[in-house]
Amino acid sequence: MTDRISFLLNGAPRTVSGLAPTTTVLEYLRGAERACGTKEGCAEGDCGACTVVLGEPTGDGLRYRAINGCIAFLPQLDGKLLLTVEGLAEGNALHPVQDAMVECDGSQCGFCTPGFVMALFAFQQGGEPASDDAIHEALAGNLCRCTGYRPIVEAARRVAAVRDPGFELRAPSLRAGVAALPHDGDLAIEQGGGRFFAPTSLDRLLALRAAHPDAHLLAGGTDLALLVTKEYRALDIVIAVTQVPELARIVLDDKALTIGAAATYTDALPLLERFFPSLGLMIRRLGSRQIRNAGTIGGNIANASPIGDMPPGLIALGATVALRSAAGARELALEDFFLDYRKTALRPDEIVESVRIPLPAPDALFRTYKIAKRWDQDISAVCGAYRLTIADGRVTEARIAYGGMAATPKRAARTEQALIGRAWTEATVAQAIAALADDFAPLSDWRASADYRRKVAGNLLRRLWLESAQPTLTLGVMAL
Ligand code: FES
Ligand code: FES
């Protein structure tokens, strides 16, 4: 067990102690390191000015992924490589990504540029194609306030799928440097009134949970960190679940896909996209790459927000959630996990272990739709999810769930009943839409009025019908 955080910063070893464990990576860089290339724009994971790249050991090498430094806590760097914009150039030779930004006039104000450079560096290391879709997605988490995207996209085209021999030469020594970091097992930090634990076994995690039932559990931190950066709250005790190997597992069998609570969206996306394309589309939209590289589906569930984007789709798919404590394990239908506003069935000594999603029958119709004011990375006003089985023109099974319509993500039981056993026709859909009023009495807030929510919830069901009747309509997701 150690109370010191060890990582490589641009290749140089660092061992840090004496800082509050909820110090963000961005604060550390700009404060202790005086490395001010990484900027703060929003401090909530929206703008990308703070983008840095994590190098995480995988097999013989390192995997490079962009994250938001403003909402990552320093202990999350333990055992990893942190690359910042200061670490890309070698001597006077700019990195090819930096060269491309210069040559394409991609840098204007300079405030967003380091974040764009780091996002592009991760994009290049990923070996992705120079397609507009890939580039736009790689850059969706970086905002340029002076609308200079065209030259930045042009810079991305230049570096996409281009080898980076200079960095390839550095890579082995970076991997060796990470391997040489002191590994003393679990992290246990106590500093400035805050305590932070990062156990590396499930047993120790469960023991810590039992000993500290009021602790905040940390997975990706994309929501938890906002308590620190936006609400300026001190978090007395934080227990990270991300170092427990069992919780990072993603297991596919012939019946279901089971995703560990600490697996990131990025890790889960390929299989989710393969079996549930509509859910894959939702994930690509719910957060930037930086967010998806840190955030977890387990966190989105445990967070129990009524407007979380994953629960409606997962409920419609019949997902179950595995809960575990030192005393044992149990499994709940996901809809039974949510009790009231931000209130779940999780007992004080329990953690969310995984979510299990049954694989769809070949004839199942599944869609999940999100309505928000912006396409990328916005919070839903309403989210609707539908899994229907239609045989010989009749609905034989219906599971429907909505987010943003109640205090919890919730099934639409009356609406389902209005469909089951009926012909899948426009008239049936109209009756089901009317039944939504029996299922939900939504609130008005600044995202949407109650009337709007009611109307759009019905329109989404109608959209499902239109898409099923006209399969050429675009799959999936739409904005206002
Ligand atoms: Fe805006 Fe971090 S400062 S995403
Ligand atoms: Fe930085 Fe536009 S170039 S905000």
Side-chain angles (χ1 to χ4, degrees):
M1 189 169 304
T2 180
D3 63 355
R4 286 153 188 262
I5 305 160
S6 298
F7 57 96
L8 288 192
L9 174 59
N10 296 322
R14 293 285 188 276
T15 296
V16 178
S17 60
L19 288 177
T22 51
T23 302
T24 66
V25 170
L26 179 65
E27 284 173 322
Y28 168 77
L29 287 172
R30 296 183 61 85
E33 291 287 345
R34 304 304 298 158
C36 296
T38 310
K39 303 293 192 287
E40 178 176 281
C42 62
E44 61 184 20
D46 271 342
C47 75
C50 64
T51 301
V52 290
V53 170
L54 270 192
E56 299 172 89
T58 52
D60 294 340
L62 293 175
R63 179 183 69 192
Y64 298 97
R65 285 183 175 172
I67 62 162
N68 295 122
C70 67
I71 50 171
F73 295 136
L74 195 57
Q76 293 175 267
L77 298 181
D78 193 54
K80 297 173 185 165
L81 163 70
L82 175 65
L83 288 172
T84 70
V85 71
E86 288 89 352
L88 292 194
E90 293 195 70
N92 290 329
L94 292 180
H95 184 272
V97 163
Q98 294 169 307
D99 270 335
M101 284 287 277
V102 171
E103 286 163 14
C104 297
D105 297 320
S107 176
Q108 294 162 62
C109 76
F111 196 84
C112 65
T113 302
F116 273 107
V117 165
M118 296 313 292
L120 285 176
F121 171 77
F123 172 68
Q124 184 192 34
Q125 294 301 317
E128 292 175 71
S131 70
D132 282 354
D133 282 353
I135 290 170
H136 291 165
E137 194 188 296
L139 296 179
N142 294 78
L143 301 184
C144 167
R145 296 137 186 98
C146 47
T147 69
Y149 292 111
R150 191 203 51 75
I152 298 170
V153 168
E154 187 52 38
R157 279 199 193 96
R158 287 205 189 183
V159 298
V162 172
R163 276 192 52 218
D164 181 0
F167 195 76
E168 281 170 21
L169 278 178
R170 282 176 71 193
S173 71
L174 293 173
R175 177 68 182 100
V178 169
L181 289 170
H183 280 294
D184 296 315
D186 298 10
L187 263 186
I189 302 168
E190 187 160 358
Q191 189 68 44
R195 301 174 77 187
F196 187 102
F197 301 98
T200 53
S201 83
L202 186 56
D203 285 348
R204 287 197 293 279
L205 169 62
L206 297 175
L208 280 165
R209 184 60 176 155
H212 304 289
D214 294 332
H216 295 277
L217 293 179
L218 169 69
T222 54
D223 201 57
L224 183 66
L226 304 193
L227 297 183
V228 176
T229 64
K230 291 286 148 178
E231 297 182 21
Y232 305 107
R233 279 171 55 184
L235 307 183
D236 294 340
I237 306 177
V238 175
I239 304 173
V241 302
T242 43
Q243 301 309 306
V244 176
E246 294 93 323
L247 299 189
R249 281 188 200 138
I250 298 174
V251 179
L252 174 67
D253 60 35
D254 55 355
K255 292 199 172 58
L257 176 62
T258 303
I259 300 172
T264 65
Y265 286 110
T266 300
D267 291 333
L269 183 57
L271 282 174
L272 283 172
E273 203 154 49
R274 184 167 136 208
F275 290 103
F276 316 102
S278 183
L279 206 56
L281 209 53
M282 174 72 85
I283 289 177
R284 288 184 183 280
R285 204 181 145 201
L286 68 78
S288 64
R289 282 213 176 161
Q290 289 92 323
I291 293 292
R292 297 186 331 239
N293 287 340
T296 65
I297 296 171
N300 200 237
I301 290 171
N303 201 20
S305 165
I307 45 173
D309 282 331
M310 295 304 290
L314 294 173
I315 290 172
L317 287 167
T320 54
V321 63
L323 310 177
R324 185 174 285 279
S325 72
R330 61 189 177 124
E331 195 163 356
L332 287 182
L334 184 56
E335 59 262 43
D336 297 334
F337 179 73
F338 303 108
L339 301 181
D340 204 342
Y341 179 71
R342 298 269 188 182
K343 202 162 167 258
T344 71
L346 204 62
R347 295 177 187 141
D349 61 344
E350 278 181 326
I351 61 157
V352 174
E353 185 176 26
S354 61
V355 59
R356 182 177 186 278
I357 315 167
L359 298 182
D363 56 348
L365 171 65
F366 170 71
R367 294 287 191 279
T368 180
Y369 305 118
K370 164 176 174 151
I371 296 295
K373 291 186 176 170
R374 197 177 63 196
W375 179 264
D376 286 310
Q377 304 162 44
D378 202 358
I379 293 171
S380 293
V382 174
C383 184
Y386 315 86
R387 194 195 70 185
L388 266 56
T389 307
I390 299 159
D392 299 327
R394 285 191 179 274
V395 180
T396 57
E397 188 210 33
R399 288 182 65 93
I400 299 176
Y402 280 89
M405 294 289 286
T408 63
K410 185 171 169 276
R411 266 180 92 172
R414 302 265 171 76
T415 310
E416 291 172 1
Q417 288 312 314
L419 290 172
I420 294 171
R422 308 263 163 79
W424 181 232
T425 62
E426 191 163 15
T428 302
V429 170
Q431 284 174 8
I433 289 171
L436 277 169
D438 299 327
D439 281 320
F440 298 106
L443 297 176
S444 293
D445 63 17
W446 62 271
R447 280 194 192 91
S449 68
D451 271 354
Y452 177 83
R453 286 189 157 107
R454 264 191 292 270
K455 190 165 287 181
V456 86
N459 286 350
L460 290 180
L461 182 52
R462 182 170 157 71
R463 180 184 170 97
L464 176 77
W465 183 77
L466 287 169
E467 283 191 3
S468 73
Q470 302 172 52
T472 50
L473 281 179
T474 310
L475 172 109
V477 193
M478 63 181 181
L480 284 177

